[in-house]
Amino acid sequence: HVQLVESGGGSVQAGGSLRLSCVVSGWSDRNYCMGWFRQASGKDREAVASISIGSMGGGSTYYADSVKGRFTISQDNAKNTLYLQMNSVRPEDTAMYYCAAARSWRCTTLGDRFNFWGQGTQVTVS
């Protein structure tokens, strides 16, 4: 039974930082993709960042243009945890943030291609 549990959201002032975490359990694939998505109120869900994990993908990453240079995605295998370091946050970063896991190591921005999702953690930037 695969579970993804996010944490680390909260309220932060513009220009500040947050680190989101996503603990993954029940997952044993060796080559797969992990991603962060967000959905602001009244807007469509969008891909924020992704990382291809394992020898096939080699750790390649993707970032949405809106977060490049500000956000960093990383993974700690020993802790089964995915992170999203968010620096220089802006009010437009306000959204519910979700982590997701895909059985394919070929990452995509299409949320429908991800097999498992967390419940989300709210980020509010003022």
Side-chain angles (χ1 to χ4, degrees):
H1 179 59
V2 178
Q3 282 192 312
L4 285 68
V5 180
E6 303 99 333
S7 62
S11 296
V12 62
Q13 289 189 336
S17 298
L18 277 177
R19 188 176 77 159
L20 306 184
S21 299
C22 173
V23 177
V24 183
S25 60
W27 183 267
S28 59
D29 292 26
R30 293 192 175 186
N31 293 281
Y32 55 99
C33 178
M34 293 290 300
W36 286 98
F37 291 77
R38 67 186 180 186
Q39 186 165 22
S41 180
K43 295 189 177 180
D44 292 335
R45 182 179 61 194
E46 63 172 340
V48 176
S50 64
I51 182 168
S52 183
I53 296 165
S55 60
M56 299 297 289
S60 61
T61 56
Y62 157 84
Y63 294 95
D65 287 343
S66 58
V67 307
K68 276 181 184 176
R70 301 188 298 121
F71 291 9
T72 303
I73 188 171
S74 62
Q75 191 225 17
D76 185 331
N77 277 329
K79 297 181 178 180
N80 294 323
T81 302
L82 179 75
Y83 299 101
L84 184 70
Q85 179 66 44
M86 304 169 61
N87 297 329
S88 302
V89 295
R90 303 167 180 169
E92 54 263 39
D93 294 321
T94 295
M96 184 71 79
Y97 284 71
Y98 300 90
C99 72
R103 292 204 181 276
S104 172
W105 58 268
R106 297 179 188 274
C107 287
T108 171
T109 57
L110 300 175
D112 292 348
R113 302 291 176 87
F114 284 76
N115 305 98
F116 303 98
W117 292 80
Q119 292 300 307
T121 185
Q122 177 68 38
V123 172
T124 302
V125 183
S126 59

